Amino acid sequence: MGVNDKLEEKIDCVCGMDLTEITDASIILYQNKKLYFCGEDCKKRFEINPEKFQGEPLIRLRDIWKIFKVGEVKTQVLRGLNLHIWKGDFVAIIGASGSGKSTALNMMGFLDTPTSGKIFLGNKEVSALDDEEKALLRSKIFGFVFQQYNLIPWLTAYENVSLPLIFAGRKVETEKLELDFEKIGLKDRLPHRPLELSGGEQQRVALLRALANNPEIIIGDEPTGNLDSATGNKILEMLIELNRVQGKTLIIVTHDADIAEKADQLITIKDGKVVRDHHVYKKTYTE
C-alpha cells in the first residue's frame, strides 16, 4: 500500500469499535449500505432493532488516547479507544485490572480529559469544553455511583443527598427526599453521618445522591464491589429497575458475572482498546 493510500473506515455501528484494519469483520447490507460488526453479539443486536443504531449514539468516544506521565515515565492507558453507548442501554464494561476500563468510564462521564481524541454527547463534541462547562453538563446529565462510596464524612445522609441539588442551583424538596429515603429503607437514617451507617446503607445513600438531579445517565464503577452478595444484589436490582422502568442509560464497570449477564451490551477492554467479540471474554474477566 502506498503512502497516499487510505483504508476504508469500518466502524461497528453498535459498539463503535474501529474495524478498519480487520479483514474478517462480519458484514451485512442494510438499505444499500455496508455495515460492519466486530462479532455475532453486535450483529444480532443490530438485526433485532436496526433503527436504533441509525442515528447518533448517546455517547461516542473517537480514537481516545490517555497517557499518564510521572517524571520521564509515560504510561499509555487508553490506546485509540473507540466506543458507542446507546440511549437506554444497560452496558457492562469488563476487563483485567489495568486494562483501562475505569479510565474509559471517566472519559464517558467527562471526569477526565483525553490526551488526544474526541468525546461526543449526541452530536456535540464535549472534549473541547472547559472544566466549568463540563462540570455543569455533568451535574445535569450524570449520576455517579462508585465502589468507594465517596460520601462527605462530616455531612449527614440527608445533606449528602441534597448536595447535588444545591450545586445545580435547584430547590431541595425535603418531603420528596424523605420519601426517597423511606423507599430504600433508610427512613430513620437521614441524620446519621457515613461512619454511623453500614456499607450497604452508605451505598444506598450514594445511589440516592447519584439520582438527586434525575440524571439521564447513571455511571457505576464496581458499585457492588465492597458489598456482601445479598446487599450487592439489592443495589443491582435498584440500578436495573432504573434502566428497565425509567429508561435511564446505565454504564457499569464490573468483575461481577451476574451484572455482565444482565447487560444489554457487554464491552471488553484490553490494553486500552475494545476487544472484538466482547461476550467471548465474559468468563475470563468476571472470575
Side-chain angles (χ1 to χ4, degrees):
M1 181 180 292
V3 294
N4 294 320
D5 293 336
K6 187 176 181 180
L7 291 172
E8 174 193 3
E9 185 178 65
K10 304 173 184 176
I11 300 294
D12 185 318
C13 66
V14 175
C15 73
M17 183 179 181
D18 187 350
L19 306 171
T20 302
E21 297 183 353
I22 294 177
T23 58
D24 61 341
S26 297
I27 304 173
I28 66 172
L29 190 65
Y30 181 78
Q31 296 182 348
N32 296 318
K33 182 180 178 182
K34 273 186 181 180
L35 299 178
Y36 300 88
F37 302 93
C38 71
E40 287 303 309
D41 237 21
C42 287
K43 183 179 176 183
K44 286 178 182 177
R45 285 207 74 202
F46 177 84
E47 290 173 338
I48 290 170
N49 187 6
E51 291 302 316
K52 174 173 181 170
F53 303 104
Q54 296 305 296
E56 287 286 340
L58 180 60
I59 299 174
R60 177 161 58 100
L61 305 187
R62 191 77 178 108
D63 195 26
I64 297 295
W65 288 77
K66 183 62 180 182
I67 301 171
F68 292 101
K69 185 177 180 181
V70 179
E72 296 300 316
V73 179
K74 293 182 180 180
T75 303
Q76 294 180 339
V77 179
L78 298 180
R79 308 181 184 192
L81 179 67
N82 291 276
L83 185 61
H84 289 171
I85 301 293
W86 293 91
K87 183 178 175 62
D89 269 1
F90 171 13
V91 181
I93 300 176
I94 62 174
S97 296
S99 62
K101 58 187 183 298
S102 291
T103 303
L105 199 70
N106 289 341
M107 295 296 170
M108 293 180 226
F110 318 150
L111 292 171
D112 201 352
T113 301
T115 303
S116 64
K118 296 181 179 181
I119 303 171
F120 294 86
L121 182 66
N123 58 8
K124 179 179 181 179
E125 185 187 350
V126 297
S127 44
L129 299 178
D130 62 34
D131 290 343
E132 186 175 343
E133 290 172 316
K134 286 180 184 176
L136 181 60
L137 204 52
R138 278 198 304 272
S139 70
K140 293 179 177 179
I141 295 174
F142 291 96
F144 298 93
V145 186
F146 300 100
Q147 181 176 3
Q148 307 299 332
Y149 317 122
N150 292 340
L151 298 175
I152 298 176
W154 56 86
L155 297 182
T156 65
Y158 177 87
E159 290 167 341
N160 267 283
V161 172
S162 60
L163 205 57
L165 294 166
I166 295 171
F167 283 155
R170 296 177 57 185
K171 181 181 178 182
V172 178
E173 299 179 18
T174 301
E175 289 186 7
K176 180 182 181 304
L177 285 187
E178 289 178 349
L179 182 60
D180 289 340
F181 272 91
E182 184 175 355
K183 286 178 180 177
I184 63 168
L186 295 178
K187 179 181 179 181
D188 299 324
R189 309 301 270 170
L190 279 77
H192 291 257
R193 290 179 170 78
L195 289 179
E196 300 171 311
L197 304 173
S198 69
E201 288 172 337
Q202 288 187 60
Q203 191 61 299
R204 278 180 280 170
V205 172
L207 182 56
L208 283 185
R209 181 186 58 188
L211 301 176
N213 278 327
N214 191 27
E216 181 180 353
I217 305 166
I218 301 171
I219 285 182
D221 193 351
E222 297 281 5
T224 63
N226 281 339
L227 305 174
D228 62 81
S229 58
T231 305
N233 286 336
K234 288 180 182 178
I235 295 295
L236 178 60
E237 287 171 6
M238 293 170 66
L239 289 168
I240 292 177
E241 183 178 2
L242 290 165
N243 170 254
R244 303 293 191 232
V245 177
Q246 297 188 28
K248 307 285 187 186
T249 302
L250 179 60
I251 312 168
I252 295 180
V253 160
T254 186
H255 284 102
D256 190 325
D258 289 338
I259 294 178
E261 187 67 40
K262 292 178 173 67
D264 300 311
Q265 177 77 54
L266 183 65
I267 296 291
T268 305
I269 294 180
K270 182 179 181 181
D271 298 330
K273 300 178 75 171
V274 171
V275 177
R276 64 185 303 198
D277 294 326
H278 322 289
H279 68 289
V280 174
Y281 299 87
K282 181 176 71 177
K283 186 175 181 180
T284 303
Y285 295 125
T286 56
E287 290 184 338

